[in-house]
Amino acid sequence: MAAHLYLQLVILTGLFPYIEGLPFSVRIVNGASNSSGRVEVFHAGEWGTVCDDRWERYEAVVVCRMLGYNYSTGQPIYQTTRYGSVTGPVWMRGVDCNGTEDSLADCSFDGWGQVELNCNYPATLFCYNVTGTDIHIRLSGDYRPHVGRVEVYYSGYWGTVCVDNYWDYRDAVVTCRMFGYSTGQQATHYYSKKDPVWMTGVNCNGTEDSLADCSFDGWGHGGYCSGYPAGVFCYNVTEQDIDIRLSGGTGPHVGRVEVYYCGYWGSVCGDNHWDMRDASVTCRMIGYSASRHMYYTTRYGSLTDPVWMTGVDCNGTEDSLADCSFDGWGKVGHCSIYPASVFCYNVTANSTIEVRLVDGAYNHTGRVEVYYSGYWGAVCSQKYNFDDKDAAVVCRMLHYSNGRALSRVSNVPNEPIWMENVRCNGTETSLADCPFDGWGNVGYCSYQPYVTCFNVAGNYRSL
């Protein structure tokens, strides 16, 4: 009777004290097998959650040992709801083990049910027994046999390799040689993560026969790993000519730069080195006399594997991109999602310069575009605001007596972008007579001028 009244008191007060005589145990739930999943503990007659703050390797080792696995095995899985969200009472938070405890209840923690702040993620882990099996490797997640997510077979399970600051082309070379290829590069495609994560901090020098011979943090001993597993693109080096093309554009003169090397079309990284000199060499290779490079755009597609060239740095006189300075074929350091992109054209002698207003509510108002060398293109107002003097010149070209600059339009213009930093004094007869940075010599642009034209008499002219 007394015990019954005590339990009633517990429910009424909302406290969760340790009740002597009731067992404490752990279990793993919602995993694909009984070796991985979300950790739950049985306390005070009810299963509940363990919060994953401070959840690290030693805590996972203690839980796995409670479940009958080898003494020092167990891998935490950080900040995930792959195996379900926080459910039921949160029994334990701030768990801090040294790894030698027989039970999670013997570790330091904040107290039963003492959860003052929200718990965003439940504690999650992977348990295993160390076996004497050989190390195997495979690629998965891609339809091509030479491309994919790197997976390693260890202690009876296939697991992933973590991409961190160490994973680079040297690690990819070692991986690809294990498959019989002569070389390889790290993949830019982000494959889905798969537990367990067997290797983190892999740091090969490129001469090893196996990933297991490289320096790394130890089997299953990795700390926090981002959501991206290591991927590679493997290939054999062959002697052949270098070819080039533009992809993803509206025609052969515009798009993402791709290079053909060793039997595969691949990307060129559009990093900080990529500029008008590199674009000039590219466009001459495909038969154009002039070019415009583009900054940080995926308008013509994202970076795709393989990435053949990074750090391209031409002086502008080369006959081929392959003659320019770059980091080496397939030697990819960090490259963002942005591929190198260009707009190629032929300069037309004595080309007529025209202007027009587009995207306006009326034909006397809109965004300024210029016709040059056969193409309509944008005017950029990134560095300096396009002012009333510039607008007056545009409007006189359209046969109005005057004009006024309105607010800048904030969007990335379509290619080409012909003019930037236009600085008219207001008396010029053409926008081409005003000082500006040169045809197509435009860096990153996200603002365009918007003007309205009028006649002094107050009557708008219909075009």
Side-chain angles (χ1 to χ4, degrees):
M1 184 64 177
H4 178 69
L5 290 174
Y6 181 70
L7 285 175
Q8 283 185 321
L9 179 61
V10 169
I11 294 171
L12 289 172
T13 58
L15 299 175
F16 304 111
Y18 179 79
I19 301 176
E20 188 155 359
L22 290 179
F24 171 81
S25 57
V26 297
R27 68 182 181 185
I28 302 175
V29 299
N30 284 11
S33 67
N34 58 6
S35 61
S36 62
R38 188 178 76 248
V39 178
E40 289 189 348
V41 296
F42 188 77
H43 171 70
E46 186 176 3
W47 287 102
T49 296
V50 178
C51 193
D52 86 333
D53 53 349
R54 298 188 192 173
W55 189 255
E56 297 180 350
R57 178 172 172 262
Y58 288 138
E59 289 72 50
V61 164
V62 172
V63 171
C64 292
R65 196 162 57 241
M66 290 180 70
L67 296 172
Y69 289 89
N70 282 355
Y71 182 79
S72 60
T73 60
Q75 179 183 126
I77 303 170
Y78 295 93
Q79 295 184 351
T80 183
T81 56
R82 283 197 298 276
Y83 304 106
S85 302
V86 174
T87 59
V90 179
W91 282 131
M92 305 180 75
R93 184 168 196 162
V95 181
D96 188 12
C97 306
N98 60 34
T100 63
E101 295 87 352
D102 295 324
S103 170
L104 203 63
D106 298 332
C107 301
S108 169
F109 64 102
D110 294 345
W112 297 110
Q114 299 299 311
V115 182
E116 297 179 359
L117 301 175
N118 289 336
C119 178
N120 296 320
Y121 300 99
T124 310
L125 53 69
F126 176 86
C127 297
Y128 63 98
N129 287 313
V130 175
T131 65
T133 57
D134 294 333
I135 308 303
H136 301 286
I137 195 169
R138 70 182 180 188
L139 299 181
S140 68
D142 202 290
Y143 68 93
R144 298 165 293 181
H146 61 288
V147 185
R149 179 181 62 228
V150 180
E151 294 187 358
V152 178
Y153 187 80
Y154 174 75
S155 289
Y157 296 94
W158 286 101
T160 50
V161 178
C162 182
V163 165
D164 51 25
N165 293 333
Y166 292 104
W167 185 262
D168 62 14
Y169 71 90
R170 291 168 294 192
D171 309 311
V173 166
V174 173
T175 302
C176 291
R177 279 207 306 268
M178 292 179 71
F179 293 112
Y181 294 92
S182 62
T183 190
Q185 66 171 253
Q186 69 269 40
T188 60
H189 178 77
Y190 293 140
Y191 296 94
S192 59
K193 190 175 179 180
K194 178 181 177 181
D195 298 320
V197 179
W198 281 135
M199 305 178 78
T200 60
V202 177
N203 190 14
C204 305
N205 61 36
T207 64
E208 297 88 350
D209 296 322
S210 169
L211 273 185
D213 299 331
C214 301
S215 168
F216 68 105
D217 295 337
W219 294 108
H221 289 187
Y224 176 75
C225 179
S226 72
Y228 306 125
V232 296
F233 183 99
C234 300
Y235 61 98
N236 291 311
V237 175
T238 59
E239 294 293 332
Q240 61 182 41
D241 294 332
I242 308 302
D243 203 357
I244 196 168
R245 70 182 181 188
L246 301 182
S247 178
T250 56
H253 63 289
V254 60
R256 182 179 73 246
V257 180
E258 291 187 337
V259 177
Y260 189 79
Y261 174 73
C262 287
Y264 299 98
W265 285 101
S267 300
V268 178
C269 183
D271 57 17
N272 293 332
H273 290 284
W274 187 258
D275 61 18
M276 61 184 297
R277 294 169 298 183
D278 310 313
S280 177
V281 174
T282 300
C283 291
R284 281 205 308 273
M285 288 182 71
I286 53 180
Y288 292 90
S289 64
S291 64
R292 214 198 80 70
H293 70 293
M294 303 177 207
Y295 282 98
Y296 306 129
T297 183
T298 56
R299 178 177 291 144
Y300 308 109
S302 298
L303 200 70
T304 57
D305 294 317
V307 180
W308 284 135
M309 305 178 79
T310 60
V312 178
D313 190 14
C314 305
N315 61 35
T317 63
E318 297 88 350
D319 295 322
S320 168
L321 276 186
D323 299 330
C324 300
S325 170
F326 66 104
D327 295 339
W329 293 108
K331 292 186 177 179
V332 183
H334 172 73
C335 184
S336 65
I337 63 171
Y338 301 112
S341 299
V342 298
F343 181 94
C344 301
Y345 62 99
N346 290 312
V347 175
T348 305
N350 300 317
S351 174
T352 300
I353 308 301
E354 298 179 27
V355 295
R356 68 182 180 185
L357 302 180
V358 298
D359 299 335
Y362 306 99
N363 58 6
H364 60 273
T365 301
R367 179 171 52 81
V368 180
E369 286 192 347
V370 178
Y371 187 79
Y372 173 74
S373 289
Y375 297 97
W376 284 101
V379 177
C380 183
S381 58
Q382 185 79 16
K383 293 180 180 178
Y384 294 93
N385 285 331
F386 200 84
D387 62 21
D388 288 347
K389 291 179 287 188
D390 308 313
V393 175
V394 169
C395 291
R396 280 202 303 275
M397 291 179 71
L398 296 172
H399 309 295
Y400 291 94
S401 62
N402 210 336
R404 187 172 73 250
L406 304 177
S407 298
R408 297 187 299 175
V409 179
S410 177
N411 68 339
V412 178
N414 292 324
E415 294 295 334
I417 308 173
W418 284 135
M419 305 177 79
E420 183 178 27
N421 197 16
V422 177
R423 304 177 304 280
C424 303
N425 60 33
T427 63
E428 296 88 351
T429 56
S430 169
L431 208 60
D433 298 331
C434 302
F436 66 104
D437 289 347
W439 294 110
N441 186 19
V442 182
Y444 177 75
C445 182
S446 60
Y447 291 98
Q448 301 170 76
Y450 197 87
V451 305
T452 185
C453 299
F454 56 90
N455 289 311
V456 173
N459 296 320
Y460 290 111
R461 170 182 170 83
S462 297
L463 295 181

